[in-house]
Amino acid sequence: MRMQKEIQNKYKTRSETMKALAHPTRLFIVDFLADGEKCVCEIVEQVGVDISTISKHLSVMKNAGLVEYEKRGLNVFYKLVCPCVSELFICLENIKKL
Amino acid sequence: MRMQKEIQNKYKTRSETMKALAHPTRLFIVDFLADGEKCVCEIVEQVGVDISTISKHLSVMKNAGLVEYEKRGLNVFYKLVCPCVSELFICLENIKKL
DNA sequence: TATCTAGTTGGCTAATTTGCCAAGTAGTAA
DNA sequence: TTACTACTTGGCAAATTAGCCAACTAGATA
């Protein structure tokens, strides 16, 4: 089971997803979007940091395939690609329980 | 649901765990330890990087509460605190599937 | 005692990440 | 057309992370 090239790629891919989730603000956004799609300004309002910062966080999540967006009028609406991301937190809580 | 101090702490805690998992080598180690406890030199042999690098990765995982260790003789044996970490990967694969 | 072995820690550089501000873009409204 | 609104992108400095080598530590063995 030595860590060969192909295996390495598998863990690299996994870690990209984890990295996209490994930030308090991004985790908050995941929870917020679990409620349904939101536009960027709604997220900004909830988090309370610069809009450019939020935009970059969303871009990280987009690149990781966690969220997708749709532009309607002046707003850009983001939503979770798979709402099951929230289940990850349940796993996470279990890990920390013991 | 605005991101207040206490909420912020919740996501900070979660993100610490995620960060500890957000590295290919550490994800590999998790999988390797799912098989049972291993000493550091066994991990080094499988991963193929410097022992000091592995030691630091293990230290990160230890601080995040993912692993614990026991010294026996000359060796230090690491194991998963909760083998259920592996379930996280199942969640992860589900997220990426759609 | 001295020496060896298995790990950890310190120190360093390189690479990555974060968050702000400023500038740019696209769609709306006047 | 001009101006406004909602967002994205570039650029930069500060902070964090990664990985190597060298030095150190603890336990085993001679």
Side-chain angles (χ1 to χ4, degrees), chain B residues 20-39:
Chain B
L21 288 166
H23 191 286
T25 299
R26 295 199 288 266
L27 289 177
F28 175 85
I29 292 173
V30 166
D31 254 9
F32 191 46
L33 292 183
D35 183 48
E37 65 166 24
K38 310 282 178 193
C39 72

Side-chain angles (χ1 to χ4, degrees), chain A residues 2 11 31 45 64 91 96, chain B residues 2 11 31 45 64 91 96:
Chain A
R2 185 140 208 288
Y11 293 106
D31 254 9
E45 201 212 324
C91 289
K96 306 298 289 189
Chain B
R2 184 139 210 288
Y11 293 106
D31 254 9
E45 201 212 325
C91 289
K96 307 298 290 188

Side-chain angles (χ1 to χ4, degrees), chain A:
Chain A
M1 122 105 156
R2 185 140 208 288
M3 191 154 131
Q4 242 76 76
K5 192 79 60 72
E6 331 84 61
I7 303 181
Q8 218 168 341
N9 283 341
K10 166 179 151 193
Y11 293 106
K12 184 120 194 288
T13 306
R14 280 184 182 178
S15 74
E16 310 277 84
T17 309
M18 300 296 277
K19 265 205 265 192
L21 288 166
H23 190 285
T25 299
R26 294 198 290 266
L27 289 176
F28 175 85
I29 292 173
V30 166
D31 254 9
F32 191 47
L33 293 184
D35 183 48
E37 65 166 25
K38 311 281 181 195
C39 72
V40 178
C41 60
E42 286 177 292
I43 301 171
V44 168
E45 201 212 324
Q46 294 299 313
V47 180
V49 303
D50 196 273
I51 188 172
S52 71
T53 300
I54 294 297
S55 182
K56 281 178 184 171
H57 279 308
L58 288 167
S59 159
V60 168
M61 297 168 79
K62 173 71 175 52
N63 289 334
L66 295 172
V67 298
E68 55 194 7
Y69 64 82
E70 196 186 337
K71 186 154 194 175
R72 290 203 299 277
L74 277 177
N75 300 291
V76 178
F77 293 88
Y78 279 85
K79 65 176 175 188
L80 296 177
V81 168
C82 178
C84 62
V85 186
S86 308
E87 288 170 30
L88 205 77
F89 297 141
I90 301 168
C91 289
L92 213 62
E93 304 298 312
N94 282 336
I95 292 166
K96 306 298 289 189
K97 209 172 288 169
L98 303 185

Side-chain angles (χ1 to χ4, degrees), chain B residues 59-77:
Chain B
S59 161
V60 168
M61 296 168 79
K62 172 72 175 51
N63 289 334
L66 294 173
V67 297
E68 55 193 8
Y69 64 82
E70 197 185 335
K71 185 155 194 175
R72 291 204 300 277
L74 277 178
N75 300 291
V76 179
F77 293 89

